[in-house]
Amino acid sequence: MGSHAVPRHRRRLLLIPVGLLLVAGFLGIPRADGAPASADACRTAAVSLPRGDCGPFWQVLAEDFNGERVPLGGFSDCDHHTDTSAAYCGGLTGRYRDNWWAYPTGWLDTANSRGRAVAGVYHPEDTVSVGRAADGDGRMTVRMWRPADGGPVHSAAVVPRAVMQMRYGKFSARIRVSRLAPGYKSAWLHYGGGCELDNPEGEWTGTLNAFSHPCGGGAQGSYPGTDDWTRWHTVSTEWTPGSVRFFVDGRETGHDTRGVPDIPLSWVLQNESALEGPGAAPGSSAQLDITWVAAYAYGWK
Protein backbone atom coordinates (compact mmCIF):
# COMPACT_ATOMS: atom_id res chain seq x y z
CA MET A 1 0.00 0.00 0.00
CA GLY A 2 1.12 3.55 -0.61
CA SER A 3 1.38 6.11 2.14
CA HIS A 4 1.57 9.82 2.84
CA ALA A 5 2.29 12.17 5.69
CA VAL A 6 -0.26 13.37 8.20
CA PRO A 7 0.59 16.84 9.59
CA ARG A 8 -0.12 17.16 13.30
CA HIS A 9 -2.73 19.88 12.84
CA ARG A 10 -4.27 18.38 9.73
CA ARG A 11 -3.97 15.44 8.14
CA ARG A 12 26.07 15.96 -14.29
CA LEU A 13 25.00 14.41 -18.39
CA LEU A 14 26.11 10.79 -17.92
CA LEU A 15 29.18 10.29 -20.10
CA ILE A 16 28.32 7.06 -21.90
CA PRO A 17 31.34 5.53 -23.69
CA VAL A 18 31.29 5.89 -27.45
CA GLY A 19 31.29 3.06 -29.97
CA LEU A 20 29.57 -0.24 -29.36
CA LEU A 21 28.55 0.58 -25.78
CA LEU A 22 26.65 3.65 -26.94
CA VAL A 23 24.95 1.74 -29.73
CA ALA A 24 24.06 -1.10 -27.39
CA GLY A 25 22.52 1.29 -24.86
CA PHE A 26 20.26 2.96 -27.36
CA LEU A 27 19.24 -0.25 -29.08
CA GLY A 28 18.51 -1.90 -25.75
CA ILE A 29 20.76 -4.92 -26.41
CA PRO A 30 23.13 -6.45 -23.85
CA ARG A 31 26.45 -4.64 -23.39
CA ALA A 32 29.74 -6.36 -24.16
CA ASP A 33 30.93 -5.83 -20.57
CA GLY A 34 28.03 -7.88 -19.22
CA ALA A 35 26.17 -4.95 -17.66
CA PRO A 36 22.47 -4.80 -18.53
CA ALA A 37 21.29 -2.28 -21.09
CA SER A 38 19.01 0.26 -19.46
CA ALA A 39 15.38 0.52 -20.51
CA ASP A 40 14.68 3.99 -19.14
CA ALA A 41 14.78 7.17 -21.19
CA CYS A 42 18.16 8.28 -19.83
CA ARG A 43 19.83 4.83 -20.03
CA THR A 44 20.54 5.11 -16.33
CA ALA A 45 22.33 1.85 -15.58
CA ALA A 46 25.69 3.21 -14.39
CA VAL A 47 26.49 4.29 -10.85
CA SER A 48 27.32 7.92 -11.72
CA LEU A 49 24.98 10.88 -11.50
CA PRO A 50 23.42 11.43 -14.95
CA ARG A 51 23.66 14.98 -16.26
CA GLY A 52 21.78 16.59 -19.10
CA ASP A 53 18.51 16.15 -20.93
CA CYS A 54 17.31 12.87 -22.41
CA GLY A 55 14.37 11.74 -24.48
CA PRO A 56 11.35 13.93 -23.70
CA PHE A 57 12.82 14.98 -20.32
CA TRP A 58 14.94 18.03 -19.45
CA GLN A 59 16.95 18.01 -16.27
CA VAL A 60 16.04 20.45 -13.50
CA LEU A 61 18.00 18.87 -10.62
CA ALA A 62 21.34 17.04 -10.52
CA GLU A 63 22.60 16.63 -6.94
CA ASP A 64 25.56 14.44 -5.94
CA PHE A 65 25.96 15.90 -2.41
CA ASN A 66 29.66 16.60 -3.01
CA GLY A 67 29.37 20.28 -2.11
CA GLU A 68 28.80 21.90 1.24
CA ARG A 69 28.20 19.85 4.37
CA VAL A 70 24.89 19.93 6.24
CA PRO A 71 25.31 18.65 9.82
CA LEU A 72 22.46 17.38 11.95
CA GLY A 73 20.36 20.36 12.89
CA GLY A 74 20.48 21.92 9.45
CA PHE A 75 17.10 20.55 8.39
CA SER A 76 15.25 22.54 11.06
CA ASP A 77 12.64 25.31 11.15
CA CYS A 78 10.94 23.80 8.10
CA ASP A 79 7.42 25.04 8.86
CA HIS A 80 7.41 27.77 6.19
CA HIS A 81 4.90 27.72 3.29
CA THR A 82 4.52 23.98 3.81
CA ASP A 83 3.54 21.74 0.91
CA THR A 84 4.10 24.51 -1.65
CA SER A 85 6.99 25.32 -3.98
CA ALA A 86 7.83 28.22 -1.64
CA ALA A 87 8.48 25.88 1.31
CA TYR A 88 11.89 26.11 2.97
CA CYS A 89 13.84 25.14 6.09
CA GLY A 90 15.15 28.14 8.01
CA GLY A 91 18.07 26.10 9.37
CA LEU A 92 19.50 25.51 5.89
CA THR A 93 21.73 27.93 4.01
CA GLY A 94 23.04 28.34 0.48
CA ARG A 95 21.98 25.97 -2.26
CA TYR A 96 20.53 23.41 0.16
CA ARG A 97 18.07 26.01 1.38
CA ASP A 98 17.29 26.80 -2.25
CA ASN A 99 16.92 23.18 -3.35
CA TRP A 100 15.58 21.16 -0.41
CA TRP A 101 12.72 21.14 2.08
CA ALA A 102 11.63 18.57 4.69
CA TYR A 103 8.39 17.74 6.47
CA PRO A 104 8.46 19.88 9.61
CA THR A 105 9.16 18.61 13.09
CA GLY A 106 5.95 17.38 14.71
CA TRP A 107 4.11 16.11 11.64
CA LEU A 108 2.95 12.53 12.17
CA ASP A 109 4.07 9.75 9.86
CA THR A 110 1.68 7.34 8.15
CA ALA A 111 1.79 4.64 10.83
CA ASN A 112 -0.20 6.89 13.15
CA SER A 113 -3.26 6.71 10.90
CA ARG A 114 -2.90 2.93 10.53
CA GLY A 115 -3.23 2.14 14.23
CA ARG A 116 0.28 0.78 14.55
CA ALA A 117 1.56 0.18 18.08
CA VAL A 118 4.83 1.87 17.09
CA ALA A 119 4.46 4.99 14.97
CA GLY A 120 6.65 7.95 14.18
CA VAL A 121 6.93 11.72 14.19
CA TYR A 122 8.93 13.62 11.59
CA HIS A 123 12.16 15.04 13.02
CA PRO A 124 14.37 16.17 10.12
CA GLU A 125 16.62 18.13 12.46
CA ASP A 126 18.01 14.99 14.11
CA THR A 127 17.69 12.46 11.27
CA VAL A 128 18.92 14.13 8.04
CA SER A 129 22.48 15.26 7.23
CA VAL A 130 24.77 15.70 4.23
CA GLY A 131 28.49 14.93 4.22
CA ARG A 132 31.31 12.74 2.99
CA ALA A 133 31.44 8.98 3.54
CA ALA A 134 34.68 7.23 4.48
CA ASP A 135 35.51 6.78 0.79
CA GLY A 136 35.03 10.51 0.11
CA ASP A 137 31.67 10.12 -1.63
CA GLY A 138 29.14 12.84 -0.82
CA ARG A 139 25.84 11.52 0.51
CA MET A 140 22.61 12.55 2.08
CA THR A 141 22.08 10.36 5.13
CA VAL A 142 18.71 9.61 6.69
CA ARG A 143 19.24 7.93 10.06
CA MET A 144 15.91 7.16 11.69
CA TRP A 145 15.80 6.03 15.31
CA ARG A 146 13.58 5.25 18.25
CA PRO A 147 14.41 6.59 21.72
CA ALA A 148 15.54 4.13 24.35
CA ASP A 149 12.53 5.05 26.47
CA GLY A 150 10.22 3.63 23.81
CA GLY A 151 8.86 6.90 22.43
CA PRO A 152 7.83 7.48 18.81
CA VAL A 153 10.22 6.79 15.94
CA HIS A 154 12.05 9.85 14.64
CA SER A 155 11.32 9.70 10.91
CA ALA A 156 12.18 11.92 7.92
CA ALA A 157 10.75 13.00 4.58
CA VAL A 158 12.83 15.28 2.35
CA VAL A 159 11.54 17.06 -0.73
CA PRO A 160 13.49 18.43 -3.74
CA ARG A 161 12.06 21.91 -4.21
CA ALA A 162 12.80 22.01 -7.96
CA VAL A 163 10.05 19.47 -8.63
CA MET A 164 7.45 20.50 -6.09
CA GLN A 165 4.00 20.83 -7.60
CA MET A 166 5.16 19.70 -11.05
CA ARG A 167 3.05 17.75 -13.54
CA TYR A 168 4.88 14.81 -15.16
CA GLY A 169 8.62 14.17 -15.17
CA LYS A 170 11.37 11.68 -14.49
CA PHE A 171 12.70 11.05 -11.00
CA SER A 172 15.86 9.04 -10.23
CA ALA A 173 18.15 8.34 -7.28
CA ARG A 174 20.85 5.93 -6.17
CA ILE A 175 20.27 4.56 -2.68
CA ARG A 176 21.06 1.82 -0.19
CA VAL A 177 20.25 0.95 3.40
CA SER A 178 23.61 0.94 5.20
CA ARG A 179 22.24 0.10 8.65
CA LEU A 180 19.39 -2.36 8.90
CA ALA A 181 16.88 -2.88 11.69
CA PRO A 182 13.23 -4.01 11.77
CA GLY A 183 10.57 -1.35 11.94
CA TYR A 184 11.73 1.15 9.31
CA LYS A 185 10.65 1.71 5.71
CA SER A 186 10.58 4.05 2.71
CA ALA A 187 7.74 5.18 0.49
CA TRP A 188 9.08 7.68 -2.04
CA LEU A 189 5.94 9.01 -3.63
CA HIS A 190 3.83 11.40 -5.61
CA TYR A 191 0.52 11.80 -3.82
CA GLY A 192 -2.59 13.94 -4.10
CA GLY A 193 -6.05 14.27 -5.58
CA GLY A 194 -6.84 10.63 -4.92
CA CYS A 195 -3.76 9.54 -6.92
CA GLU A 196 -0.50 7.97 -5.80
CA LEU A 197 2.73 6.68 -7.33
CA ASP A 198 5.32 4.98 -5.09
CA ASN A 199 8.88 3.99 -6.04
CA PRO A 200 10.62 2.64 -4.09
CA GLU A 201 8.40 1.45 -1.26
CA GLY A 202 8.82 -1.25 1.36
CA GLU A 203 10.05 -2.18 4.81
CA TRP A 204 13.85 -2.09 4.71
CA THR A 205 14.08 -5.67 5.97
CA GLY A 206 11.82 -6.81 3.10
CA THR A 207 11.58 -6.13 -0.62
CA LEU A 208 11.90 -2.97 -2.65
CA ASN A 209 8.70 -2.47 -4.67
CA ALA A 210 6.75 0.07 -6.72
CA PHE A 211 3.01 0.76 -6.60
CA SER A 212 0.53 2.73 -8.67
CA HIS A 213 -2.81 3.71 -7.14
CA PRO A 214 -5.15 4.86 -9.94
CA CYS A 215 -6.79 8.23 -9.56
CA GLY A 216 -10.41 7.70 -8.61
CA GLY A 217 -9.83 4.25 -7.15
CA GLY A 218 -9.39 0.76 -8.50
CA ALA A 219 -6.96 -2.04 -7.84
CA GLN A 220 -3.41 -0.92 -7.18
CA GLY A 221 -0.59 -1.95 -9.48
CA SER A 222 2.12 -3.78 -7.50
CA TYR A 223 5.58 -4.30 -8.99
CA PRO A 224 8.43 -6.11 -7.21
CA GLY A 225 11.83 -4.59 -7.85
CA THR A 226 14.54 -6.28 -5.78
CA ASP A 227 14.76 -8.18 -2.52
CA ASP A 228 17.71 -6.41 -0.88
CA TRP A 229 17.72 -2.80 0.29
CA THR A 230 21.31 -3.12 1.58
CA ARG A 231 22.84 -3.12 -1.92
CA TRP A 232 23.19 0.04 -3.99
CA HIS A 233 20.28 0.46 -6.40
CA THR A 234 19.31 3.08 -8.96
CA VAL A 235 15.56 3.69 -8.88
CA SER A 236 13.61 5.72 -11.45
CA THR A 237 10.02 6.72 -12.15
CA GLU A 238 8.94 8.08 -15.53
CA TRP A 239 5.57 9.83 -15.36
CA THR A 240 4.14 11.07 -18.65
CA PRO A 241 0.58 11.76 -19.88
CA GLY A 242 -1.40 8.56 -19.42
CA SER A 243 1.59 6.43 -18.45
CA VAL A 244 3.86 5.67 -15.51
CA ARG A 245 6.91 3.37 -15.68
CA PHE A 246 9.06 2.14 -12.80
CA PHE A 247 12.71 1.06 -13.04
CA VAL A 248 15.34 -0.54 -10.80
CA ASP A 249 18.95 -0.59 -12.00
CA GLY A 250 17.82 0.24 -15.53
CA ARG A 251 15.32 -2.63 -15.66
CA GLU A 252 11.64 -1.82 -16.11
CA THR A 253 9.74 -3.42 -13.24
CA GLY A 254 6.26 -2.01 -13.86
CA HIS A 255 4.08 -0.01 -16.24
CA ASP A 256 0.55 1.30 -15.68
CA THR A 257 -1.82 3.38 -17.77
CA ARG A 258 -4.87 3.27 -15.46
CA GLY A 259 -5.85 6.51 -13.75
CA VAL A 260 -2.42 8.12 -14.17
CA PRO A 261 -2.26 11.51 -12.40
CA ASP A 262 -2.60 14.57 -14.62
CA ILE A 263 -2.28 17.19 -11.87
CA PRO A 264 0.83 18.80 -10.35
CA LEU A 265 2.32 16.72 -7.54
CA SER A 266 5.48 16.88 -5.42
CA TRP A 267 8.16 14.18 -5.21
CA VAL A 268 8.51 13.25 -1.53
CA LEU A 269 11.47 11.10 -0.41
CA GLN A 270 9.51 9.72 2.53
CA ASN A 271 11.12 7.50 5.16
CA GLU A 272 9.18 6.44 8.24
CA SER A 273 8.15 3.78 10.71
CA ALA A 274 7.06 0.43 9.30
CA LEU A 275 3.47 -0.36 8.32
CA GLU A 276 4.01 -4.13 8.35
CA GLY A 277 5.90 -6.55 10.55
CA PRO A 278 7.47 -5.71 13.90
CA GLY A 279 7.77 -2.14 15.09
CA ALA A 280 11.13 -0.52 15.75
CA ALA A 281 12.64 -1.63 19.04
CA PRO A 282 13.44 0.97 21.72
CA GLY A 283 16.99 2.25 21.21
CA SER A 284 17.20 0.96 17.63
CA SER A 285 18.19 2.89 14.50
CA ALA A 286 18.42 2.32 10.76
CA GLN A 287 20.06 4.35 8.01
CA LEU A 288 19.47 5.10 4.33
CA ASP A 289 22.24 6.62 2.19
CA ILE A 290 21.53 8.62 -0.98
CA THR A 291 24.54 9.26 -3.22
CA TRP A 292 22.74 11.23 -5.94
CA VAL A 293 19.34 12.51 -6.98
CA ALA A 294 18.31 13.61 -10.47
CA ALA A 295 14.96 15.01 -11.59
CA TYR A 296 13.56 16.09 -14.94
CA ALA A 297 10.59 18.02 -16.26
CA TYR A 298 8.58 16.54 -19.11
CA GLY A 299 8.69 18.05 -22.60
CA TRP A 300 11.40 20.16 -24.16
CA LYS A 301 11.77 23.83 -23.21
Side-chain angles (χ1 to χ4, degrees), residues 109-130:
D109 76 10
T110 311
N112 289 273
S113 62
R114 301 290 180 88
R116 292 278 293 180
V118 178
V121 176
Y122 288 108
H123 280 278
E125 80 286 351
D126 61 22
T127 55
V128 183
S129 61
V130 177

Side-chain angles (χ1 to χ4, degrees), residues 113-178:
S113 62
R114 301 290 180 88
R116 292 278 293 180
V118 178
V121 176
Y122 288 108
H123 280 278
E125 80 286 351
D126 61 22
T127 55
V128 183
S129 61
V130 177
R132 300 274 182 167
D135 62 1
D137 180 41
R139 298 174 188 172
M140 175 179 279
T141 296
V142 178
R143 177 185 172 272
M144 297 190 290
W145 54 282
R146 189 178 181 204
D149 65 5
V153 167
H154 286 221
S155 51
V158 289
V159 184
R161 293 185 62 203
V163 290
M164 290 187 75
Q165 295 301 303
M166 188 172 77
R167 184 170 64 168
Y168 310 130
K170 177 179 171 62
F171 312 89
S172 301
R174 189 159 179 84
I175 62 173
R176 72 162 181 176
V177 171
S178 57

Side-chain angles (χ1 to χ4, degrees), residues 69-84:
R69 177 175 174 267
V70 181
L72 287 176
F75 279 84
S76 59
D77 188 25
C78 298
D79 202 3
H80 299 277
H81 307 293
T82 59
D83 275 340
T84 74

